[in-house]
Amino acid sequence: MADEAKLFTCVKSGLNIRINPRSAAGWRALGLWMAGFFAMLGLFLTGMATAERPPLQAGFTALFLLATAIWAVTMIRWMMARSEMINVKELLALKRQLDRNKRG
């Protein structure tokens, strides 16, 4: 995907990853992902309101947590595939190299 078509910017610093939308299309894509999450949340809340027995409530909770985990991993992988990647460690190493070259 060309850099101009990238929807997100992904800044990696060790284990820390931050993904930000970089255009209106990125914000729309994020909105669609969040709409999916709120749909899952609505189904969960409806299920919890109608479930009267604790085992059924526990089942709804477990299913919601599993669905949320799958949703989150899928969203992160989808966004990273459409992101311009910025690796802070590589940038710092390049800066150190340039500073060494400047000094002599």
Side-chain angles (χ1 to χ4, degrees):
M1 192 177 271
D3 277 348
E4 299 84 35
K6 301 283 186 175
L7 300 175
F8 304 96
T9 302
C10 179
V11 179
K12 293 172 76 174
S13 177
L15 295 176
N16 187 17
I17 296 175
R18 188 175 65 231
I19 301 174
N20 297 317
R22 73 186 277 195
S23 65
W27 282 103
R28 281 191 299 273
L30 177 62
L32 288 173
W33 277 101
M34 293 309 295
F37 175 75
F38 288 125
M40 281 190 327
L41 180 62
L43 288 172
F44 170 69
L45 293 175
T46 302
M48 289 298 284
T50 59
E52 296 172 0
R53 297 188 336 237
L56 196 53
Q57 292 175 341
F60 277 125
T61 302
L63 185 62
F64 176 70
L65 292 176
L66 177 65
T68 301
I70 291 169
W71 170 85
V73 169
T74 305
M75 181 182 73
I76 291 167
R77 291 181 52 86
W78 185 86
M79 286 182 172
M80 286 182 72
R82 288 154 182 81
S83 293
E84 176 182 352
M85 303 299 276
I86 299 170
N87 192 333
V88 175
K89 284 187 177 184
E90 289 176 6
L91 290 176
L92 288 174
L94 180 62
K95 182 183 180 318
R96 285 188 207 106
Q97 181 67 32
L98 291 173
D99 288 346
R100 276 193 295 269
N101 290 347
K102 259 194 221 179
R103 279 186 247 140

